[in-house]
């Protein structure tokens, strides 16, 4: 199967013993081979969500093969070898409103008044696509509180990117799921803090939160949308790994993604309650173990994937986030603004971010877990200041 077909580089995909294998040909093949080798190494440890003779869906985080969006992903990987920065992943907050009161909310305190309008959101996404993004994610608050979400999804150019959204399942009913599918939504990342109903509701600060996740996932899958169980891992729930996975399996969800809790927002003062390097290894080992099995959901452990053994921290290098108030951050968990889309072009802000000393070099793991980064850029934010804090002001302190 030809999954990338340009005059200077062609990439073919095949499946061997259920694993995806890529090979290259063309004048640019020698340049591309290192990144293709890395991708193949990952594929050998993984299992795709689904594959047949015509299509391969590897993950909710990767465009299906073949597709023009997947072509753009390959192009961005080649660009990274050539030291060109492309925001592969672009997430955008569409509302700061939320029906929950989560004890670990990372968006708490982030300015979002006034919220970006429908036209402002569409324009910002279009600018991200022009920069090379192939993964567009709608974020919140609770995304389902925006009644025009389906219209936003429909506006995303599916020839250039897949569209996904994060949700707790709140207000994700049968009709909403159908409209989102019709609009072209590729996947929903469904958040869950505990496989135990009472504990999840406690963390979310609202009774019925667990049932919302269950029902939302069912409605999404019934509509034909990929449903990913999105777990924010902390020292308090890491021992529930098997329970989370069993939940995803029982629900029939095709994937379980694991992120790490970040000391930001309501968790800002909990720097000693984040996962350790040992925990990251444990998550990586769990991913490898599960993905060797032919049945059941695949696992994507993002702290491992974005760690020293894989691609390193994406923030400000391969990921850019825009808040519901228009501020542009290196990632959704770094409260530093490099500009606002209401005032400047996204490309100008992206270039400025790349010139900043913290982001012009690679980072082996999540910078918000790096004590030196936090000491220099987070601890120096003056008390009581509105977040996100302007990065140019921080450098003048």
């Amino acid at each position: 199967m030809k999954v990338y077909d340009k005059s200077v580089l062609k990439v073919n995909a095949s499946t061997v013993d259920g694993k995806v294998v890529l090979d290259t040909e063309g004048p640019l093949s020698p340049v591309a081979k290192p990144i293709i080798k890395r991708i193949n190494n990952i594929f050998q440890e993984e299992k795709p969500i689904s594959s047949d003779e015509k299509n391969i869906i590897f993950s909710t985080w990767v465009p299906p093969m073949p597709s023009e969006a997947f072509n753009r992903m390959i192009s961005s990987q080649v660009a990274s070898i050539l030291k060109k920065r492309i925001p592969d992943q672009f997430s955008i907050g569409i509302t700061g409103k939320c029906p929950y009161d989560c004890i670990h909310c990372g968006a708490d305190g982030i300015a979002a008044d006034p919220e970006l309008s429908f036209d402002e959101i569409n324009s910002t996404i279009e600018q991200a696509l022009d920069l090379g993004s192939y993964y567009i994610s709608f974020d919140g608050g609770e995304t389902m509180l925006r009644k025009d979400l389906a219209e936003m999804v429909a506006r995303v150019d599916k020839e250039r990117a897949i569209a996904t959204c994060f949700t707790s399942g709140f207000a994700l009913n049968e009709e909403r799921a159908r409209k989102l599918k019709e609009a072209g939504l590729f996947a929903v990342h469904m958040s869950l803090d505990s496989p135990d109903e009472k504990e999840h509701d406690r963390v979310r600060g609202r009774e019925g939160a667990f049932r919302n996740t269950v029902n939302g996932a069912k409605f999404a899958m019934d509509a034909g949308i990929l449903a990913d169980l999105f777990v924010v891992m902390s020292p308090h729930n890491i021992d529930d790994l098997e329970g989370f996975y069993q939940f995803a399996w029982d629900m029939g969800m095709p994937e379980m993604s694991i992120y790490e809790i970040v000391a930001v927002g309501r968790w800002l003062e909990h720097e000693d309650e984040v996962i350790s390097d040992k925990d990251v290894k444990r998550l990586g080992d769990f991913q490898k173990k599960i993905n060797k099995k032919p049945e059941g959901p695949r696992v994507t452990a993002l702290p491992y994937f974005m760690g020293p053994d894989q691609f390193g921290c994406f923030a400000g290098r391969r990921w850019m986030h825009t808040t519901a108030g228009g501020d542009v951050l290196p990632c959704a968990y770094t409260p530093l603004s490099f500009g606002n889309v209401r005032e400047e072009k996204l490309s100008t802000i992206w270039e400025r971010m790349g010139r900043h000393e913290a982001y012009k070099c690679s980072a082996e793991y999540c910078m918000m877990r790096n004590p030196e980064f936090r000491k220099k850029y987070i601890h120096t934010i003056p008390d009581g200041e509105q977040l996100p804090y302007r990065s140019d002001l921080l450098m003048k302190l």
Side-chain angles (χ1 to χ4, degrees):
M1 178 193 307
K2 198 171 295 295
V3 296
Y4 185 83
D5 191 3
K6 303 294 181 182
S7 60
V8 293
L9 178 66
K10 302 181 189 301
V11 180
N12 302 309
S14 58
T15 54
V16 179
D17 297 328
K19 305 292 185 180
V20 180
V21 178
L22 303 181
D23 63 83
T24 62
E25 55 182 297
L28 203 57
S29 183
V31 176
K33 277 192 180 298
I35 192 66
I36 296 299
K37 181 179 179 181
R38 176 186 285 187
I39 294 173
N40 276 334
N41 287 340
I42 294 172
F43 283 171
Q44 288 308 300
E45 293 181 349
E46 309 291 341
K47 60 183 175 185
I49 286 177
S50 64
S51 64
D52 56 36
E53 294 181 356
K54 295 183 178 180
N55 296 283
I56 299 171
I57 298 178
F58 182 69
S59 166
T60 58
W61 301 92
V62 177
M65 300 177 266
S67 68
E68 185 57 36
F70 184 80
N71 288 355
R72 286 163 61 85
M73 190 196 88
I74 294 295
S75 294
S76 75
Q77 308 310 309
V78 174
S80 70
I81 297 176
L82 302 175
K83 307 300 181 184
K84 181 180 179 181
R85 294 172 62 253
I86 291 179
D88 303 41
Q89 298 189 15
F90 180 74
S91 54
I92 185 165
I94 58 175
T95 181
K97 300 179 180 67
C98 185
Y100 299 123
D101 191 25
C102 303
I103 62 176
H104 54 41
C105 178
D108 184 62
I110 297 294
D113 187 21
E115 291 182 348
L116 292 172
S117 69
F118 177 78
D119 289 339
E120 287 172 329
I121 290 170
N122 294 333
S123 172
T124 304
I125 291 173
E126 188 67 23
Q127 293 177 63
L129 293 176
D130 289 343
L131 286 170
S133 298
Y134 57 80
Y135 171 91
I136 302 296
S137 177
F138 295 95
D139 206 347
E142 172 49 63
T143 55
M144 296 299 151
L145 293 180
R146 283 288 299 239
K147 302 301 183 184
D148 50 1
L149 174 58
E151 288 77 11
M152 294 179 199
V153 171
R155 290 290 189 94
V156 177
D157 184 352
K158 309 308 187 305
E159 287 295 308
R160 296 198 282 174
I162 55 173
T164 70
C165 76
F166 287 86
T167 178
S168 66
F170 183 88
L172 179 52
N173 55 31
E174 184 176 7
E175 181 182 5
R176 200 75 185 280
R178 178 181 55 78
K179 288 182 178 179
L180 288 169
K181 174 62 177 179
E182 290 174 352
L185 190 69
F186 181 69
V188 286
H189 300 293
M190 308 284 308
S191 54
L192 191 71
D193 296 308
S194 172
D196 177 78
E197 183 171 358
K198 289 185 178 179
E199 176 62 11
H200 176 76
D201 287 1
R202 183 191 72 80
V203 173
R204 293 271 150 170
R206 180 171 178 143
E207 186 176 347
F210 185 89
R211 296 308 310 171
N212 286 339
T213 301
V214 170
N215 292 334
K218 286 180 178 178
F219 288 132
M221 289 187 290
D222 287 347
I225 301 171
L226 296 175
D228 168 49
L229 185 68
F230 188 80
V231 179
V232 175
M233 197 61 64
S234 77
H236 303 291
N237 64 1
I238 194 168
D239 289 334
D240 288 331
L241 265 176
E242 295 288 351
F244 280 116
Y245 187 74
Q246 189 62 52
F247 175 92
W249 191 318
D250 291 344
M251 287 289 298
M253 302 173 83
E255 187 164 24
M256 169 179 154
S257 295
I258 303 168
Y259 203 73
E260 59 184 291
I261 197 165
V262 179
V264 69
R266 289 180 183 160
W267 211 250
L268 182 64
E269 305 301 326
H270 296 256
E271 291 186 3
D272 58 341
E273 295 180 72
V274 297
I275 64 174
S276 64
D277 292 342
K278 183 178 179 180
D279 293 330
V280 173
K281 184 181 184 307
R282 177 179 176 182
L283 296 178
D285 290 342
F286 182 74
Q287 172 183 311
K288 294 173 187 177
K289 179 186 76 172
I290 293 298
N291 290 345
K292 287 179 180 177
K293 301 176 181 179
E295 296 88 16
R298 61 164 280 108
V299 168
T300 298
L302 294 165
Y304 164 70
F305 187 74
M306 298 182 185
D309 294 333
Q310 295 293 339
F311 292 91
C313 183
F314 275 23
R317 300 166 184 85
R318 308 179 77 154
W319 180 11
M320 178 169 46
H321 177 77
T322 297
T323 71
D327 285 294
V328 182
L329 321 181
C331 77
Y333 304 97
T334 304
L336 298 176
S337 173
F338 284 81
N340 192 292
V341 294
R342 287 185 167 125
E343 302 166 0
E344 298 177 286
K345 292 182 178 179
L346 193 63
S347 58
T348 300
I349 302 172
W350 178 243
E351 289 173 8
R352 178 183 301 127
M353 193 181 295
R355 293 193 300 268
H356 190 277
E357 61 178 356
Y359 298 101
K360 61 185 178 182
C361 300
S362 61
E364 288 193 341
Y365 64 98
C366 176
M367 295 178 71
M368 284 294 285
R369 191 161 33 94
N370 184 321
E372 293 183 6
F373 175 85
R374 294 188 68 91
K375 180 179 179 181
K376 189 171 184 179
Y377 300 108
I378 306 302
H379 296 171
T380 50
I381 296 175
D383 291 340
E385 287 292 331
Q386 178 64 64
L387 298 178
Y389 195 69
R390 284 173 50 187
S391 59
D392 59 327
L393 293 179
L394 194 62
M395 290 186 286
K396 294 175 182 178
L397 294 177

